[in-house]
Amino acid sequence: MMEHQPPTGQPDCDVVVVGSGFAGIYALWQARQRGLSVRGFERGSDVGGTWYWNAYPGARCDVESYNYAYFFSDDIVRDWNWSDACAGQAEIQRYLRFVAERCEVVKDIAFNTQVLSARFEEDTGLWSIRTSTGETVRCRYAVLAIGALSDPKAPDIPGVADFAGEAYFTSSWPKHGTVDLHGKRVGVIGTGSSGVQVVPEIAKVAAEVYVFQRTANYVTPTRAGPMDPKLVAALREDPQAVRRAFRETYGGHVPQGMGDERFLELDAAGRERALQEAWDGNYIGLAFRDAYLPEANAAISDFIRGQMQAQVTDPWTAEHLVPWDHPYGGKRPCQSDVYLQTFNQPHVRLIALPETPIEQIVPEGIRTTAETIPLDVIVYATGFDAISGPVFAIDIAGIGGCSMKDAWADGPANYLGTMVHGFPNLFLPSSAMSPSVLSNMATLAEQQVDFIFDTVGWLDAHGRPRLQPSPASQEHWREETLRFAQRRPGALTTKSWYSGANIPGKARVFMVYCGGFKRYHETCYRELENGFPGYELMASPQPGRGIQAHGG
Ligand code: NAP
């Protein structure tokens, strides 16, 4: 494609949106609603983001469909029918396609197009976005809606390329049923949420299944099942009230069956009763208001371990499937009604890597310190270079040519999870130091995109200055993130992707803001209402439309 060069200082469009998952689709719509010209780029061949790529068998959301959806449009809430209280991947992707079509933003997206770089032009104040198709687009505002879990972790195991059989990643599973595992010997590496979901599906068809587990995870029952028609009717009555209510909560949602007791206020019999009720009602993770306190958390963790062990018949396997090394919530807990029982089948075997580590992947299979296991297929459920990985995958340069990689060399730093000092008018929804995966990502996408476009509206109304957070605000937000993480059991002591510990050499910074959705939302809008005191505003380069610049 021929490169288009607009006159100096003139943008090709007001906004570029990268990515077309929950945040990207809504950002494109918001831009159009506000009369801004917009271009979208998506590396996949369809919308969906995370829900486009993670098309592995068994993939489903463990946040309820009542909550894990858009609420900005009453029509969309009323016209879409979820088939399950916890929808599967294909249904969520269909939903996102439905929303993108309804919002008429599909036409704005260039698919199969990766954004390679984003460079800030200091003389014009524009962002110059370069794509894999050779196009360069200059815009006033760049919204990188690239997701938190979109950069697969490269397997850090010797011999990966030597394997003679088929290899698949859960994070980029081939589409349209092209993978046939019938009668095959399959090894699955990884037992996080993806591994826990894919293993039972593979076990339905494969001849032999070997699950290579480095760290066991908590696995609790799902809340899947038919939608409750009364609840659906209630949501549809006043979607905007639901939307407002979500923003008043800690997690950005109102899950069904949430307990309101305080564990430490119950006597021994009351605790036992409440734990069992929560387990049977599929809301153990949400059962107690004080579940974050160490004593309550320890008791809940022990209870879950017992329930997990009871589902597995072989004592060695039961013992090894239970997480003894971290408290409940230290890592992202998994949900499944069938994972643990899968190990009761004769053709499914757990390989406990702490006892017999993988030495090497060899042409015929996987060699551990104890044996070589012959395999036809290896499935990597090994996770993501989370949060900063997708940001580093784009060559981003801000003021003075400073790269984002340098700015984040010691770990992500930003203010309110969306903007980075040195990178004016660049927005990063779903990124570091936002409620992120500890909240409902669908609600977060709407909230952040609203905040971003309310910010853009403010900037446009004030002569389009450049906006960036002050270093002091970033430092304050880092301290806030740490302060709340310290209150969360296991957050700072467990090796998890929350803190970059799953990637060798990655800076260890706890990357999720645990102060709760409500506090996060209020802090964002306090900034906007007060004219961005935590930011620096630099005067616009356009003569006659200037603003009094101020420091934050
Ligand atoms: P993950 O939670 O990071 O799990 C990766 C797994 O691979 C871990 O068990 C890890 O072991 C293992 N692993 C990584 N490298 C390894 C190696 N070299 N050798 C052996 N084992 C290795 O990734 P994920 O399961 O894809 O989930 C990521 C996140 O996506 C979740 O936490 C969740 O937020 C989201 N997700 C949500 C759902 C849902 O809603 N139901 C489903 C899927 C994913 P260690 O633990 O020892 O590092």
Side-chain angles (χ1 to χ4, degrees), residues 171-447:
S171 51
S172 53
W173 196 265
K175 297 211 180 282
H176 313 304
T178 45
V179 179
D180 181 8
L181 302 178
H182 279 87
K184 294 189 177 157
R185 297 165 303 176
V186 183
V188 181
I189 304 178
T191 53
S193 301
S194 304
V196 162
Q197 290 184 332
V198 82
V199 163
E201 294 303 311
I202 292 174
K204 284 180 187 167
V205 295
E208 297 169 25
V209 183
Y210 300 87
V211 180
F212 295 83
Q213 173 191 272
R214 194 163 63 182
T215 312
N217 261 315
Y218 289 89
V219 183
T220 63
T222 72
R223 291 185 295 265
M227 294 291 278
D228 175 348
K230 277 199 206 123
L231 259 169
V232 175
L235 289 181
R236 287 177 172 169
E237 205 171 301
D238 189 354
Q240 296 319 305
V242 177
R243 192 173 198 249
R244 283 191 299 276
F246 283 0
R247 293 183 180 191
E248 289 293 309
T249 65
Y250 180 86
H253 57 148
V254 183
Q256 305 311 308
M258 199 160 154
D260 58 4
E261 289 179 296
R262 296 184 73 82
F263 185 82
L264 297 182
E265 287 172 3
L266 299 171
D267 61 15
R271 290 176 182 187
E272 206 175 308
R273 172 208 41 85
L275 282 166
Q276 194 62 51
E277 273 176 17
W279 181 269
D280 295 341
N282 304 337
Y283 60 96
I284 185 77
L286 303 159
F288 304 101
R289 299 179 71 80
D290 56 353
Y292 63 93
L293 294 175
E295 191 190 336
N297 179 271
I300 295 166
S301 303
D302 269 346
F303 176 82
I304 297 174
R305 289 183 186 117
Q307 294 290 327
M308 288 177 63
Q309 276 180 301
Q311 296 174 60
V312 184
T313 47
D314 173 59
W316 181 90
T317 308
E319 174 80 6
H320 284 79
L321 280 171
V322 167
W324 301 103
D325 67 323
H326 64 276
Y328 180 74
K331 277 176 183 271
R332 169 76 148 64
C334 309
Q335 291 185 6
S336 173
D337 301 319
V338 288
Y339 174 70
L340 296 161
Q341 297 94 317
T342 302
F343 290 88
N344 297 334
Q345 300 178 46
H347 67 300
V348 181
R349 188 179 144 204
L350 181 71
I351 312 292
L353 297 181
E355 289 173 14
T356 53
I358 296 177
E359 279 187 344
Q360 188 155 359
I361 294 179
V362 291
E364 63 272 31
I366 295 180
R367 191 172 78 214
T368 71
T369 50
E371 61 191 313
T372 296
I373 298 174
L375 297 170
D376 303 307
V377 181
I378 297 178
V379 171
Y380 294 97
T382 40
F384 300 86
D385 184 351
I387 296 181
S388 54
V391 178
F392 290 164
I394 300 175
D395 179 11
I396 304 173
I399 293 174
C402 175
S403 80
M404 190 66 89
K405 276 191 182 145
D406 286 342
W408 282 10
D410 297 327
N414 64 28
Y415 185 42
L416 298 176
T418 44
M419 291 191 86
V420 183
H421 180 77
F423 300 83
N425 298 359
L426 177 85
F427 300 94
L428 286 163
S430 327
S431 191
M433 277 74 160
S434 76
S436 181
V437 289
L438 293 178
S439 72
N440 174 1
M441 292 292 274
T443 309
L444 181 70
E446 275 195 33
Q447 189 276 348

